[in-house]
Amino acid sequence: MKKVVNSALSRRHFLRLTSVAAASALTPTVLWAEQQHAADSATSQAVPARIATFEEVWRTVRDRFYDPHLDGLDWSAVRERYLLDAARASSEEALAGVINSMLSELHASHTRYYTPYEPEYYQLSDIFAGALRRRGLERVFPNGRISYPGIGILSRLDTQGRNMITGVIEGTPAQQAGLLAGDAIVFADGAPFEPVQSFRGKVGKEVVLGLRRAGAFMQISVTPVEIEPNKMFLDGLKASARIIPANGRSIGYVHVWCYAGSVYQRTLEHLLSQSPLNGADALIWDLRDGWGGAIPGYLDLFNTRAPTIQVTDRNGASELENVKWRKPVAMLVNGGTRSGKEILAYGFKKYRLGEVIGSRTEGAVLSATAFLIDGGLLLRIPPLKAALFDERYSCRS
């Protein structure tokens, strides 16, 4: 009897072990199949959403572009060429690549599709916040605060796909850490560098950047902050103001990174009327990189024939209004000087207000507005074409 019981137990134990082994062998396959089904389902659900985004961008261009004939471009045919690629896009970034390829056929500046993975998305959202409040801004930024985690740089991809720093905003973590224009950022904390995602969840924490500088590899630690774009550009303008001693003279320097709003011009006027800049023998007005938005009237700052008024209140506090710079001035420009800044450069040179120093500007003199597309993505598109005219010259882009 004992042998029979033991035999029965052994068989039950054997069968149980066999079942466990079989289940263990099948589980990875079952899990993989379930995961694959979930991925396929998510992809199938994403395709209509991406097609809808693509279509809305296409329609926005058709209905709002400054030239209703799109300079003779068959916009319907362009849609057909890119529609299949849009359907195949595997991510928001891939879709953005398809859309921007389509938009490039317009050969128009100020026409690009941005995603939340790019600092420009947040910067332009803040710049165009006034217009976007009527177009669903609160849907993307529910608390009304437009910000992103970053270190205060402007960058672009170089020919090797590396993120090349084109500008370091004064007073930001990037400047404090010693980053320089021309540095190519390779990684952040050991992972491939991404301008926004590399700092997501790391505000206030040290991040180690690996970069190439003048052919040499080096590492620099930087602590990201939550950046509010307009505030960053305005604070950068203020922090840039300084005196540079040269040949026994004092040269004032100020960098206007963004001109999208009269507050930047008012701040510049205030800086020039106060110490130390008001005591400088000459001024360098740096308009390299950043964003445009300037209007021609800003050049009146250098109109030496207009009066400056000092206003004093009953308590004796005084300030200057209609500030003018009456000493020598030079303007710095480069390939990142664009839009309204180019209008300033044109007038500055045309009316011989001072020397223009640097390289050819971008050639992007179109006005712009912004639209929020499905998924909280931003599209800029020129509704108007700007042109410069005077009695002898004309310039357009």
Side-chain angles (χ1 to χ4, degrees):
M1 176 64 72
K2 188 174 182 179
K3 285 185 179 180
V4 172
V5 171
N6 287 342
S7 176
L9 288 172
S10 297
R11 282 197 297 275
R12 283 199 299 272
H13 183 64
F14 173 76
L15 289 172
R16 183 167 62 83
L17 290 176
T18 303
S19 298
V20 170
S24 300
L26 290 172
T27 297
T29 303
V30 172
L31 286 176
W32 180 87
E34 291 176 348
Q35 291 168 354
Q36 187 63 35
H37 176 72
D40 291 343
S41 177
T43 300
S44 64
Q45 292 172 5
V47 170
R50 289 179 183 138
I51 291 296
T53 299
F54 174 87
E55 294 283 16
E56 187 172 352
V57 171
W58 182 87
R59 285 193 303 271
T60 303
V61 171
R62 180 195 63 190
D63 298 339
R64 303 298 295 267
F65 197 72
Y66 74 87
D67 178 6
H69 305 292
L70 288 88
D71 199 24
L73 184 65
D74 187 340
W75 195 231
S76 294
V78 171
R79 171 186 172 277
E80 294 304 317
R81 282 204 299 274
Y82 290 95
L83 184 58
L84 185 58
D85 288 338
R88 291 172 175 167
S90 58
S91 66
E92 288 182 60
E93 292 168 291
L95 177 64
V98 174
I99 290 174
N100 283 320
S101 293
M102 177 179 72
L103 295 177
S104 70
E105 299 212 16
L106 294 164
H107 301 291
S109 66
H110 294 70
T111 308
R112 184 172 171 79
Y113 182 77
Y114 297 92
T115 75
Y117 301 101
E118 303 169 274
E120 293 87 348
Y121 167 84
Y122 304 92
Q123 293 166 13
L124 291 170
S125 291
D126 211 9
I127 287 171
F128 288 103
L132 291 176
R133 285 192 185 97
R134 302 187 300 271
R135 300 170 182 169
L137 184 67
E138 68 286 347
R139 172 171 52 84
V140 184
F141 301 100
N143 62 2
R145 184 190 183 205
I146 301 171
S147 66
Y148 65 98
I151 57 175
I153 60 171
L154 303 178
S155 65
R156 59 172 174 78
L157 292 178
D158 65 10
T159 54
Q160 300 177 42
R162 300 177 303 181
N163 231 278
M164 182 75 69
I165 297 177
T166 58
V168 178
I169 313 296
E170 287 85 355
T172 61
Q175 187 199 41
Q176 295 162 6
L179 289 167
L180 302 174
D183 289 346
I185 307 180
V186 181
F187 65 74
D189 283 345
F193 177 72
E194 297 180 61
V196 175
Q197 294 303 101
S198 288
F199 305 119
R200 188 76 70 188
K202 298 181 180 181
V203 169
K205 302 175 183 177
E206 192 174 85
V207 174
V208 178
L209 300 179
L211 52 91
R212 293 272 176 193
R213 177 180 294 174
F217 181 80
M218 61 189 303
Q219 295 187 48
I220 288 181
S221 295
V222 62
T223 303
V225 296
E226 196 68 23
I227 289 177
E228 298 177 55
N230 280 332
K231 184 177 185 301
M232 173 186 70
F233 289 128
L234 191 60
D235 289 346
L237 165 62
K238 297 173 185 176
S240 74
R242 61 184 182 272
I243 294 293
I244 303 171
N247 300 322
R249 295 190 175 187
S250 58
I251 310 300
Y253 171 87
V254 64
H255 196 150
V256 185
W257 292 98
C258 176
Y259 246 134
S262 60
V263 63
Y264 295 99
Q265 183 70 1
R266 293 198 305 271
T267 300
L268 175 61
E269 292 173 357
H270 179 76
L271 290 171
L272 294 180
S273 68
Q274 304 294 316
S275 178
L277 291 183
N278 66 341
D281 298 309
L283 175 69
I284 296 174
W285 188 24
D286 194 344
L287 299 187
R288 293 175 299 176
D289 300 305
W291 300 106
I295 60 174
Y298 291 168
L299 289 175
D300 195 48
L301 176 64
F302 305 102
N303 180 359
T304 58
R305 291 176 292 181
T308 295
I309 302 171
Q310 180 173 314
V311 179
T312 305
D313 66 20
R314 62 181 294 173
N315 298 316
S318 63
E319 62 178 343
L320 297 178
E321 292 186 1
N322 198 34
V323 172
K324 305 300 175 189
W325 181 264
R326 306 176 192 280
K327 304 170 190 178
V329 56
M331 175 190 287
L332 296 186
V333 298
N334 66 1
T337 303
R338 64 195 323 269
S339 194
K341 287 183 177 179
E342 292 183 274
I343 294 176
L344 295 183
Y346 170 84
F348 192 83
K349 183 175 182 178
K350 166 68 177 66
Y351 296 105
R352 300 178 182 177
L353 299 177
E355 292 293 325
V356 178
I357 301 169
S359 56
R360 186 182 181 90
T361 60
E362 186 171 330
V365 189
L366 285 173
S367 66
T369 187
F371 300 88
L372 289 168
I373 308 300
D374 288 345
L377 303 174
L378 183 70
L379 171 74
R380 291 202 304 156
I381 176 173
L384 300 169
K385 177 167 64 175
L388 305 176
F389 293 103
D390 59 36
E391 67 277 11
R392 290 184 297 167
Y393 300 88
S394 67
C395 173
R396 71 176 186 173
S397 176

Short mmCIF file of all heavy atoms in Angstrom, two decimals, residues 130-158:
data_model
loop_
_atom_site.label_atom_id
_atom_site.label_comp_id
_atom_site.label_asym_id
_atom_site.label_seq_id
_atom_site.Cartn_x
_atom_site.Cartn_y
_atom_site.Cartn_z
N GLY A 130 0.08 85.71 -26.98
CA GLY A 130 -1.10 86.55 -27.18
C GLY A 130 -2.03 85.99 -28.23
O GLY A 130 -3.25 85.88 -28.01
N ALA A 131 -1.48 85.59 -29.37
CA ALA A 131 -2.30 85.00 -30.44
C ALA A 131 -2.78 83.61 -30.07
O ALA A 131 -3.92 83.22 -30.37
CB ALA A 131 -1.49 84.95 -31.74
N LEU A 132 -1.94 82.85 -29.37
CA LEU A 132 -2.28 81.46 -29.07
C LEU A 132 -3.34 81.33 -27.98
O LEU A 132 -3.98 80.29 -27.87
CB LEU A 132 -1.02 80.69 -28.67
CG LEU A 132 -0.01 80.47 -29.81
CD1 LEU A 132 1.25 79.79 -29.28
CD2 LEU A 132 -0.63 79.64 -30.92
N ARG A 133 -3.53 82.36 -27.19
CA ARG A 133 -4.59 82.29 -26.17
C ARG A 133 -5.96 82.16 -26.82
O ARG A 133 -6.89 81.62 -26.23
CB ARG A 133 -4.55 83.53 -25.27
CG ARG A 133 -3.40 83.52 -24.27
CD ARG A 133 -3.54 84.59 -23.21
NE ARG A 133 -2.35 84.59 -22.37
CZ ARG A 133 -1.32 85.42 -22.54
NH1 ARG A 133 -1.35 86.32 -23.53
NH2 ARG A 133 -0.27 85.35 -21.75
N ARG A 134 -6.07 82.63 -28.03
CA ARG A 134 -7.33 82.49 -28.77
C ARG A 134 -7.37 81.19 -29.56
O ARG A 134 -8.35 80.90 -30.24
CB ARG A 134 -7.50 83.68 -29.74
CG ARG A 134 -7.48 85.03 -29.05
CD ARG A 134 -7.82 86.17 -30.01
NE ARG A 134 -6.89 86.26 -31.12
CZ ARG A 134 -5.76 86.97 -31.10
NH1 ARG A 134 -5.43 87.64 -29.99
NH2 ARG A 134 -4.96 87.02 -32.15
N ARG A 135 -6.29 80.43 -29.49
CA ARG A 135 -6.19 79.21 -30.29
C ARG A 135 -5.86 77.98 -29.44
O ARG A 135 -5.21 77.05 -29.90
CB ARG A 135 -5.12 79.40 -31.38
CG ARG A 135 -5.44 80.55 -32.34
CD ARG A 135 -4.27 80.88 -33.24
NE ARG A 135 -4.59 82.02 -34.11
CZ ARG A 135 -3.70 82.68 -34.85
NH1 ARG A 135 -2.42 82.30 -34.82
NH2 ARG A 135 -4.06 83.70 -35.60
N GLY A 136 -6.28 78.00 -28.18
CA GLY A 136 -6.15 76.80 -27.35
C GLY A 136 -4.89 76.67 -26.54
O GLY A 136 -4.49 75.56 -26.19
N LEU A 137 -4.25 77.79 -26.21
CA LEU A 137 -3.01 77.72 -25.44
C LEU A 137 -3.21 77.03 -24.09
O LEU A 137 -2.36 76.25 -23.65
CB LEU A 137 -2.46 79.13 -25.21
CG LEU A 137 -1.10 79.22 -24.50
CD1 LEU A 137 0.00 78.64 -25.37
CD2 LEU A 137 -0.77 80.66 -24.14
N GLU A 138 -4.36 77.29 -23.44
CA GLU A 138 -4.59 76.72 -22.12
C GLU A 138 -4.73 75.20 -22.18
O GLU A 138 -4.53 74.50 -21.19
CB GLU A 138 -5.85 77.33 -21.47
CG GLU A 138 -7.16 76.97 -22.14
CD GLU A 138 -7.39 77.68 -23.47
OE1 GLU A 138 -6.66 78.64 -23.78
OE2 GLU A 138 -8.30 77.25 -24.21
N ARG A 139 -5.05 74.67 -23.36
CA ARG A 139 -5.14 73.21 -23.50
C ARG A 139 -3.76 72.57 -23.39
O ARG A 139 -3.61 71.46 -22.85
CB ARG A 139 -5.76 72.88 -24.87
CG ARG A 139 -5.74 71.41 -25.24
CD ARG A 139 -6.55 71.16 -26.49
NE ARG A 139 -6.16 72.03 -27.59
CZ ARG A 139 -5.13 71.76 -28.41
NH1 ARG A 139 -4.41 70.67 -28.22
NH2 ARG A 139 -4.85 72.58 -29.40
N VAL A 140 -2.74 73.26 -23.85
CA VAL A 140 -1.38 72.73 -23.81
C VAL A 140 -0.66 73.12 -22.52
O VAL A 140 0.10 72.33 -21.97
CB VAL A 140 -0.59 73.25 -25.04
CG1 VAL A 140 0.80 72.62 -25.09
CG2 VAL A 140 -1.34 72.94 -26.32
N PHE A 141 -0.91 74.34 -22.06
CA PHE A 141 -0.28 74.82 -20.82
C PHE A 141 -1.41 75.24 -19.86
O PHE A 141 -1.73 76.42 -19.74
CB PHE A 141 0.65 76.00 -21.12
CG PHE A 141 1.75 75.66 -22.09
CD1 PHE A 141 1.65 76.02 -23.43
CD2 PHE A 141 2.88 75.00 -21.66
CE1 PHE A 141 2.65 75.72 -24.32
CE2 PHE A 141 3.91 74.70 -22.55
CZ PHE A 141 3.79 75.03 -23.89
N PRO A 142 -2.03 74.28 -19.18
CA PRO A 142 -3.23 74.54 -18.38
C PRO A 142 -3.04 75.59 -17.29
O PRO A 142 -3.96 76.33 -16.97
CB PRO A 142 -3.54 73.16 -17.76
CG PRO A 142 -2.91 72.18 -18.68
CD PRO A 142 -1.66 72.85 -19.18
N ASN A 143 -1.85 75.67 -16.69
CA ASN A 143 -1.63 76.64 -15.62
C ASN A 143 -1.21 78.00 -16.14
O ASN A 143 -0.95 78.93 -15.36
CB ASN A 143 -0.60 76.11 -14.61
CG ASN A 143 0.77 75.89 -15.25
OD1 ASN A 143 0.98 76.16 -16.43
ND2 ASN A 143 1.71 75.39 -14.47
N GLY A 144 -1.12 78.12 -17.46
CA GLY A 144 -0.75 79.40 -18.07
C GLY A 144 0.73 79.68 -18.08
O GLY A 144 1.17 80.68 -18.65
N ARG A 145 1.53 78.80 -17.49
CA ARG A 145 2.98 79.01 -17.44
C ARG A 145 3.65 78.22 -18.55
O ARG A 145 3.51 77.00 -18.62
CB ARG A 145 3.53 78.58 -16.09
CG ARG A 145 5.02 78.87 -15.93
CD ARG A 145 5.56 78.21 -14.68
NE ARG A 145 6.97 78.53 -14.46
CZ ARG A 145 7.81 77.76 -13.77
NH1 ARG A 145 7.38 76.62 -13.23
NH2 ARG A 145 9.07 78.11 -13.60
N ILE A 146 4.35 78.91 -19.42
CA ILE A 146 5.07 78.26 -20.51
C ILE A 146 6.52 78.10 -20.10
O ILE A 146 7.24 79.08 -19.89
CB ILE A 146 4.96 79.08 -21.81
CG1 ILE A 146 3.49 79.25 -22.21
CG2 ILE A 146 5.77 78.43 -22.93
CD1 ILE A 146 3.27 80.22 -23.35
N SER A 147 6.96 76.88 -19.96
CA SER A 147 8.33 76.65 -19.50
C SER A 147 8.80 75.27 -19.95
O SER A 147 8.01 74.42 -20.37
CB SER A 147 8.42 76.75 -17.97
OG SER A 147 7.68 75.70 -17.37
N TYR A 148 10.10 75.06 -19.87
CA TYR A 148 10.71 73.77 -20.19
C TYR A 148 12.01 73.62 -19.41
O TYR A 148 12.63 74.62 -19.02
CB TYR A 148 10.97 73.64 -21.69
CG TYR A 148 12.01 74.61 -22.24
CD1 TYR A 148 13.34 74.22 -22.44
CD2 TYR A 148 11.66 75.92 -22.59
CE1 TYR A 148 14.28 75.10 -22.94
CE2 TYR A 148 12.59 76.80 -23.10
CZ TYR A 148 13.90 76.39 -23.27
OH TYR A 148 14.84 77.27 -23.77
N PRO A 149 12.46 72.39 -19.14
CA PRO A 149 13.72 72.20 -18.42
C PRO A 149 14.89 72.42 -19.37
O PRO A 149 14.93 71.86 -20.47
CB PRO A 149 13.64 70.74 -17.96
CG PRO A 149 12.78 70.07 -18.99
CD PRO A 149 11.78 71.12 -19.43
N GLY A 150 15.84 73.24 -18.98
CA GLY A 150 16.96 73.52 -19.87
C GLY A 150 18.09 74.22 -19.16
O GLY A 150 18.07 74.42 -17.94
N ILE A 151 19.08 74.63 -19.94
CA ILE A 151 20.28 75.26 -19.36
C ILE A 151 20.59 76.62 -19.98
O ILE A 151 21.55 77.27 -19.59
CB ILE A 151 21.50 74.33 -19.49
CG1 ILE A 151 21.75 73.96 -20.96
CG2 ILE A 151 21.32 73.08 -18.63
CD1 ILE A 151 23.02 73.13 -21.19
N GLY A 152 19.78 77.06 -20.96
CA GLY A 152 19.97 78.40 -21.51
C GLY A 152 20.88 78.47 -22.71
O GLY A 152 21.70 79.39 -22.81
N ILE A 153 20.73 77.52 -23.63
CA ILE A 153 21.53 77.55 -24.86
C ILE A 153 20.61 77.61 -26.08
O ILE A 153 19.45 77.23 -26.02
CB ILE A 153 22.45 76.32 -24.99
CG1 ILE A 153 21.62 75.02 -25.02
CG2 ILE A 153 23.48 76.30 -23.88
CD1 ILE A 153 22.42 73.78 -25.35
N LEU A 154 21.17 78.07 -27.19
CA LEU A 154 20.56 77.92 -28.50
C LEU A 154 21.44 76.93 -29.24
O LEU A 154 22.66 76.99 -29.16
CB LEU A 154 20.53 79.26 -29.24
CG LEU A 154 19.80 80.41 -28.54
CD1 LEU A 154 19.90 81.68 -29.38
CD2 LEU A 154 18.35 80.06 -28.27
N SER A 155 20.82 76.00 -29.96
CA SER A 155 21.62 74.97 -30.62
C SER A 155 20.96 74.51 -31.91
O SER A 155 19.78 74.78 -32.15
CB SER A 155 21.84 73.77 -29.69
OG SER A 155 20.61 73.13 -29.40
N ARG A 156 21.70 73.81 -32.72
CA ARG A 156 21.19 73.22 -33.96
C ARG A 156 21.99 71.95 -34.24
O ARG A 156 23.10 71.76 -33.71
CB ARG A 156 21.34 74.19 -35.13
CG ARG A 156 22.77 74.62 -35.40
CD ARG A 156 22.92 75.42 -36.67
NE ARG A 156 24.27 75.93 -36.82
CZ ARG A 156 25.32 75.22 -37.22
NH1 ARG A 156 25.17 73.92 -37.47
NH2 ARG A 156 26.52 75.77 -37.33
N LEU A 157 21.43 71.08 -35.08
CA LEU A 157 22.14 69.87 -35.46
C LEU A 157 23.17 70.19 -36.54
O LEU A 157 22.84 70.88 -37.52
CB LEU A 157 21.17 68.81 -35.97
CG LEU A 157 20.21 68.21 -34.93
CD1 LEU A 157 19.28 67.20 -35.61
CD2 LEU A 157 20.98 67.54 -33.81
N ASP A 158 24.40 69.70 -36.38
CA ASP A 158 25.40 69.91 -37.42
C ASP A 158 25.31 68.79 -38.45
O ASP A 158 24.40 67.94 -38.41
CB ASP A 158 26.81 70.02 -36.83
CG ASP A 158 27.27 68.72 -36.16
OD1 ASP A 158 26.60 67.67 -36.32
OD2 ASP A 158 28.31 68.74 -35.48
#
